[in-house]
Amino acid sequence: EPEVTQTPSHQVTQMGQEVILRCVPISNHLYFYWYRQILGQKVEFLVSFYNNEISEKSEIFDDQFSVERPDGSNFTLKIRSTKLEDSAMYFCASSGSLSYNEQFFGPGTRLTVL
Amino acid sequence: AQRVTQPEKLLSVFKGAPVELKCNYSYSGSPELFWYVQYSRQRLQLLLRHISRESIKGFTADLNKGETSFHLKKPFAQEEDSAMYYCALASGGSNYKLTFGKGTLLTVNP
């Protein structure tokens, strides 16, 4: 069964550094998402992406964040200058074309900002 | 703005006992609700959604618009049901975003 994959599984970085989190969505999916979960808190929506552009973004997704689909398979989340409060688990998800079709989640990348 | 509330952080039951995980929501539109489950060291996965009205692994959930609730129920809990359960509300149509509750950690004791 196809799955969403994410790399790396754990990323440690220094405050102020740029990080790129990578995701490979399920191949025939059209909608892509990033969510994050700070330890002990709820899973929060960051951004949705369709047809090579952002469809919606949350208040969390400020100018420090960007997303890209550089080729036909990868979907990346870049944080330009990481802050301590960016430490969280970041989940990528993808879904097909039907309305409210299931979102399939990746295993997550744990980002630790020191 | 939409909001999902799961009042119980932890729920512990014995095997064979009924279980109910509570979920309340706040949303001005027509709600589309989901339950996601995360077993230990596994990814989030969809358990069920209200629009399909199905029973998965013995779990059911009924949308009660009057009480703005979508509680998850199972008549006889099994040890393998131990997991983190998240209620989520969808908004946005095909390109919808999910608003999650904080989750309930269910432990089913032998």
Side-chain angles (χ1 to χ4, degrees), chain A residues 6 21 32-48 56-61 65 67 77 85-93 103 105 109, chain B residues 2-4 6 38 44 86-89 91 96-103:
Chain A
Q6 289 185 244
L21 309 183
F32 313 110
Y33 310 85
W34 284 101
Y35 293 83
R36 79 169 186 191
Q37 185 176 31
I38 293 171
L39 190 63
Q41 297 188 26
K42 60 176 70 179
V43 177
E44 301 172 288
F45 168 79
L46 291 178
V47 66
S48 58
E56 187 175 355
K57 57 185 180 179
S58 70
E59 291 173 357
I60 304 165
F61 195 89
F65 291 87
V67 288
L77 174 69
E85 54 265 36
D86 294 327
S87 294
M89 186 73 117
Y90 288 80
F91 295 105
C92 174
Q103 286 188 18
F105 281 78
T109 292
Chain B
Q2 53 260 42
R3 190 169 66 243
V4 175
Q6 292 180 251
Q38 189 172 29
L44 272 167
Y86 295 95
C87 182
L89 184 150
S91 57
Y96 65 93
K97 70 177 186 185
L98 290 168
T99 299
F100 284 88
K102 285 189 174 181

Side-chain angles (χ1 to χ4, degrees), chain B residues 3-69:
Chain B
R3 190 169 66 243
V4 175
T5 303
Q6 292 180 251
E8 302 137 332
K9 209 170 181 176
L10 302 167
L11 184 62
S12 183
V13 301
F14 285 102
K15 179 181 167 182
V19 64
E20 181 179 50
L21 293 96
K22 291 186 167 45
C23 171
N24 289 90
Y25 67 90
S26 172
Y27 183 53
S28 56
S30 186
E32 298 289 343
L33 285 148
F34 300 78
W35 277 98
Y36 275 79
V37 61
Q38 189 172 29
Y39 300 101
S40 180
R41 297 191 194 85
Q42 294 187 30
R43 63 187 68 200
L44 272 167
Q45 54 187 278
L46 180 66
L47 180 62
L48 53 79
R49 70 193 92 178
H50 96 269
I51 53 173
S52 44
R53 297 187 151 272
E54 55 199 346
S55 171
I56 303 291
K57 299 184 180 182
F59 284 97
T60 58
D62 290 315
L63 178 62
N64 185 324
K65 291 186 180 180
E67 294 183 0
T68 60
S69 69

Side-chain angles (χ1 to χ4, degrees), chain A residues 3-9 20-27 29 31-35 67-78 90-95 104-109, chain B residues 43:
Chain A
E3 288 185 329
V4 176
T5 59
Q6 289 185 244
T7 53
S9 57
I20 297 176
L21 309 183
R22 291 185 164 80
C23 168
V24 179
I26 293 172
S27 64
H29 283 183
Y31 302 100
F32 313 110
Y33 310 85
W34 284 101
Y35 293 83
V67 288
E68 199 177 33
R69 191 155 159 81
D71 53 42
S73 58
N74 289 285
F75 179 51
T76 62
L77 174 69
K78 184 195 288 187
Y90 288 80
F91 295 105
C92 174
S94 69
S95 66
F104 290 81
F105 281 78
T109 292
Chain B
R43 63 187 68 200

